[in-house]
Amino acid sequence: MSSNSKSKPRGQSSPTPFKPGTHIEISSDDAGFRGSWYLGKVVRRVSSKDPTKFWVEYSNLFSDEAGNDPLQEILNANQLRPRAPREKEREFKFGEEVDAFYNDGWWEGTITEVKNEGKFSVYFRSSKEQIEFGKENLRLHREWICGEWKPPLEVEEEEDNEKVSTKTKTEEMSDKGAGEKMLGKRKEPDEAKPEVKFSKGTVVEVSSDEDGFKGAWFAAKIIEPAGEDKYLIEYESLRTDDDKEFLREVIDTLHIRPPPPETVMVDSFNRLDEVDAAYNDCWWVGVVSKVLSNSRYIVYFRESNEELQFEHSDLRLHQDWINGKWIAASRGFKS
């Protein structure tokens, strides 16, 4: 997509000061790893003149085949956070946002089915796939916002005791497809997605994996099929560089969905509600971090680690399109 045809939310955020030896969780912008958090620790700040870059060392990823040399990298502060707390006992519910421990990291997902014997189906928005987990490999998803965990810990905290992997990061990349979908290799046959067909002229929403636009959904319409599981679409608000016509692109069905139904409406949003915010001609997935007066809200955006203020009319409760059905996440709590 043309870079001057759309823009992402911008707000204010500040780096978290980490001391050497601090146990942390590390995110990555590498293809196939987005939406994951890996355990590690801070080695040192790169420079006293730059408070935003740190040497970090992974707990579960190694730079050598024998697994004796922990992988180290230089990363920005916005890719780091303290280790997330975890309840010793928790009854997970349908629709809850969770982190699932998979391939030595925590991956953000949503519970879409509660099964017997402590088993849960979890849907991963980043790869648009669903996998089954035991409750021992789940924790309630939390965001590190302005130096606080939200939602806060409900019961006693549990120490992280994940088994250390002997895989190198190169091997992890290979396991996940090295730029392919991070969970695609482990999908069970009975979890195959239903065939998706869209007719010419159908109004849809389209997402993008382009840097800076993850979590955004643009209104569009179907022009015509463009090969297996692909369609030529035309955006409703994005225009070509010369501004003479609306932008057209070929998009695969993993990035196309119907518009969410308007049946899930609320008189007011709660703190920690997951919402879509209308901004710069599209909908951005975020979390209500603060409820203000006069139907105004502060919304936190995970991908950019930023906050912006919105009116009630510019928000809608977030829903995910999973296996041909709309699934709404559980509500937050009132301030």
Side-chain angles (χ1 to χ4, degrees):
M1 295 182 186
S2 172
S3 59
N4 63 359
S5 297
K6 54 186 179 183
S7 57
K8 62 178 180 177
R10 301 297 302 176
Q12 298 296 324
S13 61
S14 58
T16 300
F18 293 106
K19 297 181 179 179
T22 301
H23 291 282
I24 56 173
E25 292 184 350
I26 305 165
S27 67
S28 174
D29 291 332
D30 292 343
F33 286 87
R34 292 171 180 168
S36 65
W37 290 91
Y38 282 81
L39 304 180
K41 67 179 181 180
V42 173
V43 177
R44 62 178 174 84
R45 184 172 290 173
V46 174
S47 170
S48 60
K49 296 181 180 180
D50 187 353
T52 65
K53 293 186 181 297
F54 294 85
W55 271 105
V56 302
E57 180 178 287
Y58 290 86
S59 299
N60 297 355
L61 301 181
F62 299 84
S63 58
D64 64 323
E65 296 293 335
N68 297 321
D69 188 13
L71 178 67
Q72 293 189 356
E73 288 185 320
I74 295 177
L75 297 175
N76 293 322
N78 61 9
Q79 295 177 263
L80 313 177
R81 69 183 189 184
R83 291 196 179 179
R86 185 182 184 189
E87 289 85 8
K88 285 187 175 180
E89 296 293 336
R90 179 176 180 78
E91 296 299 325
F92 295 100
K93 303 174 184 177
F94 172 83
E96 279 192 320
E97 296 287 318
V98 295
D99 298 333
F101 196 71
Y102 182 89
N103 277 353
D104 300 314
W106 291 99
W107 298 81
E108 300 175 14
T110 302
I111 293 178
T112 53
E113 186 177 356
V114 178
K115 300 187 175 183
N116 296 327
E117 301 178 354
K119 301 293 184 181
F120 301 86
S121 291
V122 178
Y123 173 76
F124 298 92
R125 191 178 302 150
S126 58
S127 64
K128 299 177 175 63
E129 293 179 311
Q130 185 170 270
I131 292 180
E132 183 177 300
F133 291 88
K135 64 182 299 183
E136 68 277 4
N137 289 319
L138 299 179
R139 69 185 184 189
L140 184 67
H141 177 71
R142 290 181 167 87
E143 298 287 348
W144 180 246
I145 304 174
C146 298
E148 296 181 355
W149 287 110
K150 299 182 180 180
L153 191 66
E154 297 178 359
V155 295
E156 187 177 356
E157 182 176 348
E158 177 177 337
E159 294 292 332
D160 284 312
N161 294 311
E162 280 76 27
K163 183 178 180 181
V164 174
S165 171
T166 59
K167 294 180 181 179
T168 64
K169 191 166 186 180
T170 299
E171 290 173 325
E172 290 284 349
M173 291 283 284
S174 177
D175 286 347
K176 297 182 183 67
E180 297 176 358
K181 296 172 293 186
M182 64 92 176
L183 295 169
K185 303 299 182 181
R186 297 288 293 274
K187 185 173 63 177
E188 299 298 328
D190 60 354
E191 293 178 322
K193 295 180 178 60
E195 187 177 10
V196 179
K197 295 293 184 181
F198 295 101
S199 303
K200 181 178 179 180
T202 300
V203 176
V204 294
E205 290 188 347
V206 177
S207 66
S208 171
D209 288 334
E210 184 179 340
D211 287 342
F213 297 96
K214 189 174 176 60
W217 287 91
F218 293 83
K221 67 178 179 180
I222 300 294
I223 300 301
E224 61 185 9
E228 184 177 0
D229 296 327
K230 294 182 179 180
Y231 290 88
L232 175 65
I233 62 95
E234 181 179 279
Y235 291 94
E236 289 188 357
S237 57
L238 302 183
R239 304 185 70 87
T240 56
D241 290 339
D242 58 12
D243 200 31
K244 291 184 178 180
E245 56 188 11
F246 288 107
L247 182 65
R248 290 188 175 190
E249 282 189 320
V250 174
I251 303 290
D252 62 60
T253 53
L254 286 174
H255 296 83
I256 305 175
R257 70 182 190 185
E262 297 182 358
T263 54
V264 183
M265 302 182 69
V266 296
D267 294 329
S268 62
F269 295 98
N270 300 333
R271 187 160 151 260
L272 299 183
D273 275 348
E274 190 169 24
V275 296
D276 297 334
Y279 186 87
N280 280 350
D281 300 319
C282 67
W283 293 97
W284 297 83
V285 181
V287 177
V288 175
S289 59
K290 189 174 182 180
V291 178
L292 307 176
S293 60
N294 299 322
S295 298
R296 294 173 298 124
Y297 305 87
I298 299 296
V299 177
Y300 170 73
F301 299 94
R302 299 170 186 166
E303 298 300 326
S304 60
N305 192 32
E306 295 167 327
E307 292 183 316
L308 289 173
Q309 180 176 307
F310 292 90
E311 302 289 337
H312 184 278
S313 58
D314 293 326
L315 302 179
R316 67 186 186 191
L317 280 177
H318 178 74
Q319 300 175 76
D320 281 305
W321 179 247
I322 303 173
N323 293 338
K325 297 180 181 180
W326 285 106
I327 303 295
S330 57
R331 298 291 306 277
F333 58 88
K334 294 182 179 180
S335 301

